[in-house]
Amino acid sequence: MEHRTKRDHKLIHLVSEFEAMSETGNLTYLDERTFYQLIGYYEDEYLIDKALEVVDMALSQFQYRAEFYITKAKLLLRDHQMSKALEIINEAENISPFENELIILRARCIGALGKSIEAFELLDNIKKIATKNDLIDIYICESYIYEAQKDYKKMFLVLKHALQLDPLNTEGLERIYIAVELSKKFDESIKFHNEILEKNPYNFLGWFNLGHAYSCMGEYDKAISSLEYSFIINKNFDIAYMDCADLCCQISDYKRALGIYEEANANFGPDSELLVLIASCHLKLENLISAKANLFSALRLDPYNDETYFLLGECYLKEKSLHNAISSYKKAIKIEDGREEYYEGIAKAYVQLGENNKAVKYFEMATEIAPEQEFLWYQYTSILVKLNRVEEALDVLDDAEFYAVGPELLYCRAVCLSLLGRKKEALVILDEALVDNFEMHDKLFELDPSLKFDKDILSIIHYYEGETKM
């Protein structure tokens, strides 16, 4: 999901005016501040080519301003155009030859091009005379070089040095998040971020990083609380809302997730994707009327979102409005035909309608898309068993063995063999299934209720029942 931010209406108006003038070729003189606003806007929107166009316009007006050359070099670095960035750095050094920022940018470029020794030498040469701000930039630059070398532990270490000098440095905080993910230093990250947050408790990126470190350590309550602090401090920090709500969903706290998604939608919406997430939470909480209301609102904003139609299908399925469910699932498939759950949904609807042959067709399609999903094979074969197409079910189970394994499929195979009169083989498979997962043995009776009266079957079940109680 793309980041959402509250947009400054003045900035939007400025961008619109600029683009209109660009199209007509009636560009007037722009001051430096306006150029930086436009460049920042396009950079935030990940429109690097557009940002580069604007910086070139700025250089045509302010051809001796090293700052615009530095900005262009940074944009080229972000776009992984290292050689072009070096060319711009060379031009900038002709204008401002003693600028430490240019030396640091050069080191980052050549480091990315594999010349790490030369890059570190450049940085070491200016460390002795570096200001505090320069030193922070040097450490951050070193982090890029270490990342290129895949030395993630040193990457983490130098970013700690940078943040010890300035705990609010945005680039440093964003980079250390990456370093922690790559180095797996979650314990150290928790300790370090708690230290810097003690000194500055309003550091929203610090709380965000801490939340993710806690999450990776399985401390979900602490993770959720930390992520909440992050967006409470910065109400425009959209990714914190999303990650926090997603974590709530992972631990099945859908009520809490719902509140976060609704707050995000109030801040950044109306947004179709957020409305779909809100609807998903309502669906989990069995609030079907609210779920559908949000889905219909999402469709008005974006009528081509397959997830919206799928969730509508799920709502209708729960309401037993089966033909509406099938219609919604089919609309989802028309937009996106590669999601197995969409076919599974239609199949379930047909099962409830008693149209099992149609259900078989859609379960088969679901297994073709996601053959690794054991439960899809089980649903597929169980319908075949109910249709008394037992030989076919056994063939399907043979196909399933190439992709998925699990106790459900073993129980299903045992039932098929029993129904085909291959009792000894059935008991061997049943023995394996009971060892694998005794608690699932009721699957036998779901597929073939007559087995409740089979003495051999009951005997082996009672044996393993005794074993599990020892």
Side-chain angles (χ1 to χ4, degrees), residues 368-418:
E368 287 172 358
I369 293 169
E372 74 285 354
Q373 299 290 348
E374 177 198 0
F375 71 94
L376 291 175
W377 290 103
Y378 175 78
Q379 291 178 98
Y380 181 12
T381 51
S382 65
I383 291 296
L384 290 171
V385 170
K386 289 174 184 176
L387 288 170
N388 203 29
R389 292 158 61 177
V390 183
E391 289 278 8
E392 189 178 343
L394 203 55
D395 288 341
V396 169
L397 287 168
D398 289 340
D399 291 339
E401 282 191 342
F402 289 101
Y403 308 102
V405 293
E408 283 184 306
L409 300 183
L410 289 172
Y411 283 114
C412 194
R413 183 178 288 277
V415 169
C416 289
L417 291 168
S418 175

Side-chain angles (χ1 to χ4, degrees), residues 33 81 90 103 123 130 152 164 228 242 252 276 286 294 309-310 321 350 371 418 439:
R33 182 173 177 273
Q81 298 186 54
N90 290 336
I103 298 170
L123 296 173
Y152 305 125
Q164 282 163 348
E228 280 184 330
M242 299 302 106
S252 300
V276 169
E286 301 289 333
N294 280 281
Y309 287 111
F310 168 67
S321 181
Y350 277 127
S418 175
E439 289 72 21

Side-chain angles (χ1 to χ4, degrees), residues 318-329:
K318 284 180 177 288
E319 293 176 336
K320 307 298 182 184
S321 181
L322 301 175
H323 291 291
N324 281 333
I326 291 167
S327 175
S328 296
Y329 290 132

